[in-house]
Amino acid sequence: MLIDWFTVVAQVVNFLILVWLLKRFLYKPILDAIDAREKRIAKELADAAAKMSDAEKMHDEFQRKNAEFEQQREALLSKATEEAQTERQRLLDEARQTADTLLTKRQQAMRNDAQNLHQELGRVTQREVFAIARKALADLTDASLEQRMVEAFMHRLREMDEQSNADMAHALQTATEPALVRSAFDLTELQRAVIQKALSETFSADISIRFEAAPNLISGIELIANGQKLAWSVADYLASLESAVNDLLKVKN
Amino acid sequence: MHLSPDEIIFWQYGFFKLNATIVYTWGLMGVLVAGSILVTRKLSMGLQRTRWQNLLEIVVGGIAKQIEEVGLRQPRHYLGFIGTLFLFVASAALFTIVPGYEPPTGSLSTTAALAICVFVAVPLFGISENGPAEYFREYLQPTFIMLPFNIISELSRTLALAVRLFGNMMSGTMILAILLTITPYIFPIALSVLGLLTGMVQAYIFSILATVYIAAAAHAREPKIEPDTTIKHEPR
């Protein structure tokens, strides 16, 4: 008989015991370990995914910030460039303006200098000319010249126009002080009498006269009465000449 | 020349006896349990693990995957029974490389015991899955006339399980013993290698057939179609 029933029963028991033992010592711990590992791997994968998504988020954020920063930098740079350009333009303009001003000033100064020089030159020339003229006339002045001057004065007196004549007459009549006759030299008695006579004739009135010598007239004679003046003198000519020369100089400048 | 390790009796007291089958079975049980304890004593839950733990994880994971592929949706529920069947038969075959060892599966008593376990386990799992009424109604399908045939089929496949495993295991050791007397040198080694392969295949077939029977009982409502993968291995 190939089947031994005691052995069969014993083997069934043995097998059931083996099932229990292996369940207890093999399957359960191994499956637990696998489960734990799988759970851990799943967790780690989830963590990794979370980290990845975080990293992606951060990356996006970083990129966005970077772009923003780049944009800002660009804007700032362009603004700075623009400002620098503007500043440069302003400085250039200012410098140009300053240069222009300086140039104008210098030109003005040079023109002024030239004008001053010119004027000075004119003045000096004028003074010299007049000085020479004065000196020459003064040197030439003597009795006969004085006589001629008196005659010239007399002539002017007589040739006065109506208006001047009336004005002078009025002035002589209303004057509180005696009329003043100034001459470059002391008039002789005869000359004084002639002038007195001529005045009396001309204005048909008795006129009191005070004579006075005034060397700065250079050579000449003048009548001053209450603001009115009748004169013939070289100084007058010279003065008119001087004013004419000055006018000329002014026009030239 | 023993036909079965049952015949090697170490100790006997009336009905009780201690034959080689039982002793080697104990030895196998000791090795399996001791190995399991040694490896699982310091299991690593992390990514780093020992080679032995890796081996056991592959074995256990592989068995669970096979059970799932056959069609049982909760392999862990059946892993204890089917996994132990496979491990016991496989290790019994594997230890034939040890001189003087007689595989306990080479005894018809052992294979009958295993077949009886399957024979009992199938309705138990079927009832626990579907309830007794639903399970026993299966025997009346398609008509009540089929009831005796269904019962005969149940019994005969249990017998087939036992005899198939016994024949294969016994023949392996028998052929080896005979060949050792005839051509004592190289040929037995080749046959021994072949025997190892046969043992592994038998372990696979035995456990996968048990799984198929259990799956068929557990899915009583569904049509009884055995997966193709199992049909290929059945005749042996």
Side-chain angles (χ1 to χ4, degrees), chain B residues 132-154:
Chain B
E134 187 73 26
Y135 175 74
F136 286 116
R137 195 182 299 153
E138 276 300 302
Y139 286 93
L140 302 175
Q141 296 297 329
T143 63
F144 71 93
I145 302 167
M146 295 301 286
L147 176 65
F149 300 103
N150 278 332
I151 293 170
I152 290 168
S153 145
E154 204 76 22

Side-chain angles (χ1 to χ4, degrees), chain B residues 176 188-198:
Chain B
L176 208 59
I189 296 174
L191 256 286
S192 182
V193 172
L194 189 66
L196 280 177
L197 179 67
T198 313

Side-chain angles (χ1 to χ4, degrees), chain A residues 2-4 6-8 10-12 14-15 18-19 21 25-27 29-31 33 35-37 40-41, chain B residues 17 19 21 25-26 29 37 40 43-46 49 53 56-57 76 79 83-84 87 108-110 113-114:
Chain A
L2 285 173
I3 294 179
D4 178 59
F6 171 78
T7 312
V8 170
Q11 288 295 72
V12 167
N14 280 340
F15 178 72
L18 185 62
V19 168
L21 283 175
F25 290 114
L26 180 63
Y27 306 125
I30 290 286
L31 288 175
D35 284 353
R37 180 172 314 113
R40 186 174 151 178
I41 287 170
Chain B
K17 56 190 156 194
N19 54 33
T21 310
T25 301
W26 285 351
M29 284 165 69
I37 290 172
T40 56
L43 275 181
S44 142
M45 304 289 174
R49 53 200 193 255
Q53 184 184 347
L56 288 194
E57 281 185 12
R76 291 185 183 195
L79 183 64
T84 308
L87 286 180
L108 190 58
S109 303
T110 306
L114 294 180

